[in-house]
Amino acid sequence: HWADIAYHFAVDRAGRVWQARPLVYQGAHVRGHNEHNMGIVVLGNFEVQHPAAAQLVALKRFIGFVRGLYHVPMNEVFTHRELGKTSCPGRYLQEYMDRLRGKPSR
């Protein structure tokens, strides 16, 4: 029942950042939290695998770029599980995001 991919950007295992849904369209990545938000998906199952080093470098750089462009403070960068009941983005990517934001791991 989806018109297209829910996320605005995707980061593949090689660290390439792809535009998915154009920014002129609201994302559909977290029910109830899509308005005025940008969705970034990192491709993989991070409950069972670790993100590739290239993905983490690209994700950090891209988040920094987006934060600077739109003046978004780091405390307003959330993962899927922080806004909804899900295991996404998986434990290994969640641990990375917690470290990136200076939060203790769960």
Side-chain angles (χ1 to χ4, degrees):
H1 304 294
W2 294 284
D4 61 11
I5 189 167
Y7 301 89
H8 295 102
F9 296 94
V11 182
D12 69 16
R13 301 260 322 147
R16 294 174 295 212
V17 178
W18 299 86
Q19 182 179 7
R21 182 180 286 214
L23 286 173
V24 297
Y25 299 110
Q26 179 176 297
H29 41 279
V30 182
R31 184 181 303 266
H33 297 280
N34 292 310
E35 194 171 341
H36 307 295
N37 282 325
M38 176 187 300
I40 304 169
V41 63
V42 181
L43 302 176
N45 179 348
F46 304 117
E47 280 295 310
V48 297
Q49 69 186 129
H50 290 271
Q55 281 180 300
L56 297 179
V57 168
L59 180 62
K60 181 178 180 179
R61 286 181 182 161
F62 189 67
I63 288 172
F65 169 75
V66 169
R67 287 183 57 232
L69 188 63
Y70 295 107
H71 310 288
V72 176
M74 196 61 175
N75 67 345
E76 291 184 20
V77 175
F78 300 102
T79 64
H80 196 171
R81 75 169 59 171
E82 293 166 339
L83 299 174
K85 291 188 180 231
T86 178
S87 62
C88 182
R91 64 183 175 189
Y92 297 117
L93 186 52
Q94 184 67 48
E95 288 171 2
Y96 174 77
M97 290 303 298
D98 289 343
R99 285 192 311 273
L100 185 63
R101 292 178 298 186
K103 288 182 168 182
S105 292
R106 293 173 239 174

